[in-house]
Amino acid sequence: MEYGRADFVPTLELFAHLGGRVIVEIGSIRGEGRQHLMGDGHSTIAWAEHAEDVFSIDIDPRATELTRRLTQQYGNVTAVTQDGVEFLQAFDQPIDLLYLDGWDTWLPECAERHLEAYLVARRSLHERSLILIDDTEDEAKSKGRLLIPQAQQDGWHIVFQRYQTLLARSAVTEGEA
């Protein structure tokens, strides 16, 4: 399958290399008709093809319903209508890949909300976990503007930083996958 975001492929390869099983995605599918899974949350389909369990969280019930419909064939996606931070506060399983793409860059609290989600999720992240943050190419409007420095202080390492940024706890590189 061809994925629209080039960063999905190395992320999925590293996820498999590290024995990943559970993905939590904050921000679900928002539109139909994407041919190559680019934009509008179609990463959920990529995750469904590579994980045992995918939890896709969105505050918009229309996005949740669309996610359910477009991923029902996989049988491993749980779509939840809820604020992402609230979901993470109640989530009690280890997270192998945390994908943060929930609050749009035009929202004034975008960076703060992504940081808050990370801070809440920390207790579910482990040595082999990965964090992928969308929309990090424009530093001024980056979803990871506050999160990435905090994660680095917490011992996370940047695997790559492009349109998306991938973080790992262990010193893995993109080429290890």
Side-chain angles (χ1 to χ4, degrees), residues 82-92 116-117 120-121 123:
Q82 189 175 7
D83 176 79
V85 172
E86 291 175 10
F87 175 85
L88 289 166
Q89 287 171 335
F91 193 72
D92 63 354
E116 185 180 5
V120 170
R123 65 182 171 71

Side-chain angles (χ1 to χ4, degrees), residues 63-131:
T64 304
E65 183 53 40
L66 183 60
T67 299
R68 283 187 189 118
R69 187 166 49 80
L70 294 179
T71 61
Q72 67 185 2
Q73 71 193 45
Y74 298 101
N76 62 344
V77 176
T78 302
V80 177
T81 303
Q82 189 175 7
D83 176 79
V85 172
E86 291 175 10
F87 175 85
L88 289 166
Q89 287 171 335
F91 193 72
D92 63 354
Q93 297 179 43
I95 299 172
D96 300 314
L97 171 60
L98 176 63
Y99 181 51
L100 296 172
D101 187 21
W103 297 273
D104 291 316
T105 58
W106 51 265
L107 294 170
E109 70 277 6
C110 169
E112 289 80 6
R113 294 292 293 181
H114 283 91
L115 173 61
E116 185 180 5
Y118 161 71
L119 293 173
V120 170
R122 282 191 301 195
R123 65 182 171 71
S124 296
L125 300 170
H126 52 83
E127 278 304 307
R128 297 174 73 77
S129 292
L130 300 170
I131 302 170

